[in-house]
Amino acid sequence: MAAPTAGGAASTSPVPPGSRKSVTGTRKLVAAGFLLPALVLLGALVVYPIGYSVYRSFFDQAGSGFAGLDNYVEIFTDDTILTAVKNNAVWVVVAPTVATALGLIFAVLTERVRWGTAFKLIVFMPMAISMLAAGIIFRLVYEQDPDRGVANAVWVGVHDTFAETAGYPKARPLGVHPLKAAGGGAFITKEPVRAGTPARLPLIGVAPPDMPGDAQPAKAPEPSGDGVSGTAWLDFTRGGGGTSNTIDAKELGLKGLKVEAVKDGRVVATATAAADGTFSLPKEADGAYLKLPESNFRERYNGVDWLGPSLVTPAIIGSYLWMWAGFAMVLIAAGLASLPRELLEAARVDGANEWQVFRRVTVPLLAPVLAVVLVTLMINVLKIFDLVFIIAPGSVQDDANVLALQLYRSSFGTDAHLGVGSAISVLLLLLVIPVMFFNIRRIRKETRR
């Protein structure tokens, strides 16, 4: 108990130096006890795998012979792995930039839309879907067949609105028909046609789906005075029993088939077959050869080969943007909500239009948030794997290859080369480290402010 002083107050005796050291040591032990489980997990799950990967990358496929830098040399000389490196560069440059730009646009525009919250919910909803599910969805979206793939269904619909499509891609005449090949996929009559004599243009090889839904039973044409009339029809009777070169009751007209009258190598008249296959040409066609141009028989337009060698990487990046643009939008919208509105209003009062306010005020104020989104997405795309593995067909997987996928392919399977796989993992680590350092420096600067 402290002795009272002259003023009646108790005095506190100083703590001995030895006691201070004891308290400090106890605190350090307590802190170390709390940190130890985390440090053990960090060492077991992060430090050890990284260290072993670096060690293993210097050994051969069997792991028994020292290979030096051979595995790293292979990364930059093997064509398949080089393609993965190039594709990763495209991913890192394009995907985060476009996703951040879309998120910024969506965040700014939804502030001015009445149903902005509902729009944000819809755009953000793909984030609730796993990469696996998104890959399966877009594998179907990019199907080549327009009847199955949404992308090509839309593309073919737009194309067919502005460009004419062929009606009968695999139609052809029989040897006994009055038609013969004219080169380039066209057909022409073996003999010239005459006014008053009906022209017959039979074809076979038209698949049922290619027949127009409103095609009518073919019929012989009415006489056309001094002109030329005729019928183009499918010379095939379901169930058999038809007669070649004869219009049978169940045979359908080739609606929309184009017919040209050719004299001396030039087209003098044209006609289009009606629903029952009949057509008529003016008197200029008398004595001409009737030609069915190649435009009648071109393969039907089936859209774009989204998953072909040239477009597979942009197509997969598109699916990534569908998922992550909502993530960027939500973060940027949160930053946008915290902006001082008086600065925006002051700019408008000073005469700035909306574009100038956006470019000169909004974007600079959002720079820290944009940096967070951009860096996060860059780290994310460096390890992209799921979408590429699922969406890219096996025939073009080499063209869509990325480092994470190549790491999997090199490390597993019958031809696994753990040395090359480890070297790829070290390369990925080296690519991520600068981005992480940039992010740490930015966070420290923000903290100092």
Side-chain angles (χ1 to χ4, degrees):
M1 181 173 166
T5 62
S11 64
T12 305
S13 60
V15 179
S19 299
R20 289 182 181 177
K21 290 181 180 180
S22 176
V23 171
T24 303
T26 304
R27 288 177 178 175
K28 287 182 178 179
L29 286 175
V30 172
F34 278 107
L35 287 175
L36 186 60
L39 292 175
V40 170
L41 286 175
L42 185 67
L45 300 179
V46 178
V47 178
Y48 173 74
I50 291 175
Y52 183 77
S53 295
V54 174
Y55 168 80
R56 185 64 178 84
S57 68
F58 292 107
F59 285 82
D60 59 13
Q61 183 173 6
S64 56
F66 184 74
L69 296 176
D70 291 349
N71 294 325
Y72 292 94
V73 172
E74 185 173 345
I75 291 177
F76 296 101
T77 54
D78 184 89
D79 291 338
T80 303
I81 303 178
L82 269 178
T83 301
V85 174
K86 293 174 184 176
N87 286 340
N88 252 101
V90 172
W91 271 90
V92 170
V93 172
V94 175
T97 305
V98 177
T100 304
L102 288 175
L104 176 61
I105 293 170
F106 291 156
V108 172
L109 293 182
T110 49
E111 276 204 328
R112 303 171 177 274
V113 178
R114 182 178 179 184
W115 300 100
T117 303
F119 179 81
K120 288 178 183 177
L121 178 64
I122 293 171
V123 175
F124 186 75
M125 197 176 294
M127 282 296 298
I129 302 174
S130 68
M131 286 279 198
L132 172 66
I136 294 171
I137 290 170
F138 275 87
R139 181 65 183 268
L140 295 174
V141 167
Y142 291 134
E143 275 280 351
Q144 179 70 35
D145 186 356
D147 293 331
R148 298 181 62 190
V150 175
N152 266 339
V154 174
W155 193 270
V156 170
V158 173
H159 174 274
D160 290 350
T161 301
F162 298 100
E164 202 167 0
T165 185
Y168 307 100
K170 295 184 179 179
R172 65 191 186 281
L174 287 172
V176 296
H177 286 160
L179 290 164
K180 63 179 181 179
F187 300 101
I188 196 168
T189 54
K190 298 174 182 177
E191 301 292 338
V193 295
R194 298 294 176 184
T197 302
R200 296 176 181 269
L201 305 178
L203 293 172
I204 63 166
V206 180
D210 293 331
M211 286 298 294
D214 55 350
Q216 298 177 6
K219 67 177 183 179
E222 299 292 333
S224 185
D226 55 357
V228 174
S229 59
T231 302
W233 81 99
L234 177 61
D235 194 15
F236 172 78
T237 303
R238 285 190 177 184
T243 304
S244 183
N245 283 332
T246 302
I247 301 175
D248 296 306
K250 295 182 179 179
E251 293 175 347
L252 299 176
L254 297 176
K255 179 185 177 182
L257 193 75
K258 290 184 179 179
V259 182
E260 297 176 347
V262 180
K263 277 186 180 179
D264 301 324
R266 64 186 185 90
V267 177
V268 296
T270 61
T272 302
D276 57 6
T278 58
F279 62 89
S280 60
L281 294 160
K283 61 181 180 180
E284 288 82 5
D286 186 23
Y289 288 87
L290 297 188
K291 181 181 179 181
L292 303 179
E294 63 276 8
S295 59
N296 289 310
F297 311 110
R298 284 195 307 265
E299 286 291 335
R300 191 179 303 277
Y301 182 71
N302 281 323
V304 178
D305 187 9
W306 298 104
L307 299 181
S310 58
L311 288 179
V312 62
T313 295
I316 299 173
I317 290 176
S319 66
Y320 179 88
L321 295 176
W322 176 75
M323 289 192 68
W324 287 88
F327 167 81
M329 178 197 65
V330 169
L331 290 188
I332 295 171
L336 194 62
S338 65
L339 292 184
R341 298 296 164 176
E342 58 270 15
L343 293 179
L344 304 180
E345 294 302 326
R348 294 188 181 98
V349 170
D350 288 341
N353 57 36
E354 290 302 321
W355 169 246
Q356 290 172 327
V357 171
F358 173 75
R359 186 165 59 93
R360 300 287 183 86
V361 182
T362 304
V363 172
L365 290 174
L366 284 175
V369 179
L370 296 177
V372 170
V373 175
L374 193 62
V375 170
T376 303
L377 293 180
M378 287 177 68
I379 295 173
N380 184 267
V381 299
L382 278 172
K383 55 186 181 180
I384 192 71
F385 168 80
D386 316 62
L387 290 177
V388 181
F389 183 71
I390 296 166
I391 295 177
S395 58
V396 296
Q397 209 162 74
D398 285 346
D399 299 285
N401 202 11
V402 290
L403 285 174
L405 177 59
Q406 185 58 42
L407 170 60
Y408 167 78
R409 295 169 69 181
S410 297
S411 302
F412 300 96
T414 54
D415 296 327
H417 193 317
L418 292 180
V420 174
S422 299
I424 295 173
S425 67
V426 173
L427 176 62
L428 273 173
L429 176 65
L430 294 176
L431 292 174
V432 170
I433 286 174
V435 182
M436 291 177 62
F437 272 123
F438 171 81
N439 204 24
I440 292 170
R441 288 185 62 187
R442 184 196 55 77
I443 292 171
R444 286 179 177 173
K445 286 182 180 179
E446 291 296 321
T447 304
R448 292 191 190 117
R449 292 179 185 177

